[in-house]
Amino acid sequence: MSLVRRVVLNSRPGKNGEAVPENFRVEEITLPTDIKPGEVFVRTLYLSVDPYMRCRMNEDTGADYLSPWVVSGCLDGGGVGVVESSRHDAVLKGDTVTSFNWPWQTYGIVDGNKLQKLDPELVDGHLSYFLGAVGMPGLTALLGVREKGHITPGSNQTMVISGAAGACGSLAGQIARLDGCSKVVGICGSDKKCQTLTSELGFSSAVNYRSADISAALKEHCPDGVDVYFDNVGGSISDAVIAQMNQNGHVILCGQISQYNKDVPYPPPLDAATQEILCRKNITRERFTVINYMDKFEAGLLQLLAFHSVMSGGNIGKQIVKISD
Ligand code: NDP
């Protein structure tokens, strides 16, 4: 038997209000060291913390593809770890593996069919990248921009991104720039984040929504209006952005994090004035859900790896992505 530590849901925060530390507890349990056929004994290296997890704290997550966490049950989510022992044919001791349902335990026994093998060399050993730029947030940014953004290089488009310093937003801005937007403006919650977006991540400018008048700042930074809006947050920030969008613009409805601590459906209803602008200006606002694009994950990850490699000087000569023979 081996002693492991795990995080369990102690109580539900309720649909309204923020989750607090008392909603969770850390406990020790013992795991059998002998595993059954098909099972794999893993050591956890990294766990992903994501906004959708707030929905999993509710009895009803509001999404059919998300199951609620069980009170006194172990949390699970995106994770990366290493195989300690295996009774599954496709997974060997020493393999680096990932899963969307990794248990929040120091060690765990998992179904080998639910693991995907990872090649650490692809990220120069930075395994946490598989939960970020070369994982679900990277795919969300890439596919969100590509599937719903309608970017046309050379057409002088301006994109605004809310939640711009987060996992998806920071990547969406960089991808939009690489894909041909002439201006990429981020909205985030501190001056330090604004500074990072403009000095390190290639954003044209950034607005701190906690201290700036968003409408006035957008007028200044987007003098030709907003063509594409990558919406991670919803609420009043999104109302302010949509008010400055151009005719035939596009909202990429990625997430609405400002509403997750409220008892509202997803996506939350828009206020009447914002809805009127969408109709009058013929602005699309289609919901984007990354898991609906699984057939594009492999090619998407290759592109994200290429971005990573370009940014870290991994290429000598031209870097290209081979898609098939
Ligand atoms: P992160 O936690 O990395 O970033 C979220 C950002 O939102 C933070 O940087 C935070 O920083 C900002 N934020 C938090 N609360 C508020 C608020 N009330 N008002 C304004 N900003 C706020 O999350 P991700 O980048 O992983 O996710 C971003 C969005 O994308 C989420 O809404 C998430 O649900 C969604 N998502 C959607 C997917 C899909 O398939 N559609 C897949 C993955 C994520 P700060 O306030 O300082 O700017």
Side-chain angles (χ1 to χ4, degrees):
M1 305 287 259
S2 48
L3 195 64
V4 309
R5 277 188 304 148
R6 66 178 194 171
V7 181
V8 303
L9 186 67
N10 196 35
S11 57
R12 299 194 189 279
K15 283 192 159 190
N16 279 306
E18 288 181 20
V20 293
E22 293 70 35
N23 295 131
F24 306 93
R25 69 173 191 270
V26 178
E27 61 182 26
E28 286 190 342
I29 57 160
T30 48
L31 283 182
T33 34
D34 54 324
I35 51 174
K36 299 192 195 81
E39 288 183 339
V40 179
F41 192 85
V42 291
R43 176 163 55 93
T44 303
L45 296 176
Y46 297 102
L47 294 169
S48 181
V49 181
D50 297 282
Y52 76 86
M53 291 174 153
R54 176 63 184 85
C55 310
R56 298 194 67 190
M57 296 171 203
N58 296 335
E59 217 156 357
D60 174 4
T61 64
D64 51 10
Y65 56 89
L66 285 181
S67 58
W69 284 329
V70 173
V71 175
S72 290
C74 185
L75 312 189
D76 68 291
V80 168
V82 66
V83 174
E84 297 276 310
S85 62
S86 172
R87 293 191 69 191
H88 189 281
D89 291 344
V91 184
L92 301 176
K93 183 175 177 190
D95 281 348
T96 304
V97 286
T98 188
S99 164
F100 283 126
N101 294 106
W102 198 281
W104 276 47
Q105 293 184 183
T106 48
Y107 292 83
I109 296 172
V110 294
D111 176 354
N113 290 330
K114 297 210 168 128
L115 295 174
Q116 294 90 48
K117 280 215 254 190
L118 298 170
D119 179 357
E121 278 190 24
L122 292 174
V123 289
D124 301 329
H126 300 292
L127 298 177
S128 64
Y129 291 5
F130 287 122
L131 298 178
V134 192
M136 195 264 290
L139 288 168
T140 303
L142 181 76
L143 296 172
V145 169
R146 296 269 168 89
E147 297 292 326
K148 304 287 185 191
H150 303 267
I151 293 174
T152 313
S155 61
N156 199 30
Q157 285 166 305
T158 296
M159 183 190 278
V160 170
I161 294 148
S162 57
C168 298
S170 60
L171 293 160
Q174 295 175 72
I175 291 163
R177 203 69 198 260
L178 290 168
D179 275 5
C181 279
S182 53
K183 253 196 199 89
V184 173
V185 178
I187 302 177
C188 60
S190 76
D191 290 344
K192 187 164 174 253
K193 289 181 179 182
C194 287
Q195 171 73 18
T196 304
L197 292 182
T198 53
S199 63
E200 292 177 30
L201 302 183
F203 282 61
S204 325
S205 53
V207 177
N208 176 353
Y209 70 85
R210 292 184 204 275
S211 58
D213 172 339
I214 302 176
S215 301
L218 287 177
K219 279 206 176 77
E220 181 192 335
H221 295 303
C222 312
D224 300 324
V226 178
D227 300 295
V228 189
Y229 172 40
F230 195 105
D231 187 3
N232 283 312
V233 309
S236 58
I237 293 176
S238 295
D239 291 337
V241 179
I242 291 169
Q244 300 200 26
M245 287 187 74
N246 294 329
Q247 192 73 23
N248 303 324
H250 303 285
V251 178
I252 304 164
L253 179 47
C254 179
Q256 303 276 283
I257 197 171
S258 73
Q259 308 296 303
Y260 292 173
N261 286 321
K262 297 179 187 166
D263 186 5
V264 290
Y266 187 88
L270 288 174
D271 75 28
T274 301
Q275 188 62 55
E276 187 275 326
I277 294 168
L278 292 179
C279 291
R280 179 163 45 84
K281 293 192 175 170
N282 191 34
I283 297 166
T284 66
R285 181 174 174 267
E286 288 171 11
R287 184 170 172 179
F288 170 76
T289 308
V290 71
I291 54 165
N292 290 344
Y293 296 90
M294 280 187 178
D295 57 325
K296 301 195 170 169
F297 278 16
E298 201 177 331
L301 286 172
L302 281 172
Q303 295 217 355
L304 291 162
L305 277 164
F307 288 150
H308 159 68
S309 179
V310 165
M311 300 307 175
S312 58
N315 56 309
I316 300 174
K318 178 75 185 87
Q319 177 124 319
I320 55 162
V321 180
K322 183 179 177 187
I323 303 297
S324 66
D325 282 324

